[in-house]
Structure formats: structure tokens, C-alpha cells
Amino acid sequence: MTTHTERGLSLVELLVAMLLVTVVALIIGGLTKALGVLGITQFAPGRYERPARARTLAIEYAQAEMEYLRGLPYHRLRDAATCTVPGAPPPLPATRRITPAGGGEPDEPPLPGLFAAADIVIRDYEAASGCGVRRITIYVYRRPADAPATPGEPPGAFFLRADVARSPE
């Protein structure tokens, strides 16, 4: 009598092994999600729900807005009452509010939908007047209740503040 030994897995053994691996993977995935709901792990289904991501988006927006304003000719940032430039188009308003729905110039960077509003405030830098250095402050607000009723009023509970100075050419 000869004995025959088989090598390898039968189809049934292979299916049972695959079923066990799938069940273990589903259990681990469910456990990770449950721990995230409890706040034990950093599970967040949406990329905008993470606080670090919100800070990054606010900083990216403020940097893009500052670059946009730096790229404008100085006469667009001047105070129209004290600095007249013959033939120049009107300057931007000294205070304006941008929302995710709009409110900015056509080429201006859009405010990410995660934020309620951004106020852009353009004023004379310190005691300068006329056509001197202008200070541009950007306030980003997370919730509508955080923003002041009127842009330019003392800022509410802003999420991010950024400042840049711009001098005439």
C-alpha cells in the first residue's frame, strides 16, 4: 500500500481562510470607527472636521488674500479722501466682508466654505496719512455669530488674524 500526501489547500480551506480574514478586517474597522465616535482616536469622516485642517485652510486663505492684495497697484489700496491719483480707478473699500457666497473682487481668492466670513480692513499705518504706508488686516471668522455686525467694527471672536503693510511704489 502506498500513501499519498497532498500538498496545498483545498478550495474549501481557501474559502474559510478568506472568510476569517474578512471578518477580522470588518471587526477592526468597526472598532476604529467606534473609538473615533467616542473621541478616543482621531477619526473624522470629513477632512474639514479636523481642527488642524481648519487652521491650515484659514492660513492658506489669508496667505492667498495677502498675495492678491500685494499684487494690486498701490492706488487700489489708497485712501480716496486723502490720496488723490488723477485718472486712477476708485480704490477698494476700506472695509469689506467676504463670504463663501462672494463679496470679493473677480480675481480675489474665494473664502473656503468652512468659514462664515472674512473681513478685509485697509487703514493708514500708524500715524501716516495721505499716500503713505497702508496696513491691511484680514480677520477670518468660523461662525456667523463670531463676526461683528458691520465689517470694520472691533473684531469679534476671530479664528485667524493676518496683517500686512503696503507702501506706495
Side-chain angles (χ1 to χ4, degrees):
M1 277 195 161
T2 58
T3 59
H4 184 267
T5 58
E6 295 182 22
R7 293 189 178 163
L9 298 174
S10 70
L11 184 58
V12 173
E13 292 171 326
L14 184 61
L15 289 174
V16 169
M18 288 175 57
L19 178 65
L20 285 174
V21 168
T22 304
V23 168
V24 169
L26 289 173
I27 290 172
I28 290 174
L31 181 63
T32 302
K33 186 172 183 178
L35 290 174
V37 170
L38 294 174
I40 297 171
T41 65
Q42 289 292 326
F43 177 80
R47 67 181 187 145
Y48 296 124
E49 294 179 19
R50 292 178 238 147
R53 181 65 182 154
R55 282 189 298 276
T56 301
L57 283 173
I59 290 168
E60 287 174 353
Y61 168 74
Q63 287 175 336
E65 183 67 26
M66 285 189 288
E67 287 301 316
Y68 169 76
L69 293 169
R70 278 190 205 126
L72 291 177
Y74 176 81
H75 64 267
R76 294 292 316 273
L77 304 174
R78 75 192 191 311
D79 181 5
T82 59
C83 181
T84 58
V85 178
L92 293 174
T95 58
R96 58 197 175 100
R97 178 159 291 163
I98 296 174
T99 65
E105 297 289 306
D107 295 336
E108 200 162 8
L111 181 68
L114 178 64
F115 303 103
D119 287 349
I120 314 298
V121 181
I122 305 171
R123 296 204 167 99
D124 287 331
Y125 191 78
E126 294 180 359
S129 63
C131 294
V133 177
R134 303 287 281 166
R135 179 187 196 131
I136 304 165
T137 305
I138 302 165
Y139 297 98
V140 178
Y141 301 100
R142 185 87 187 254
R143 299 174 301 142
D146 294 339
T150 306
E153 289 181 355
F158 55 85
F159 185 75
L160 176 89
R161 175 185 169 173
D163 291 289
V164 66
R166 176 75 192 275
S167 63
E169 282 80 39

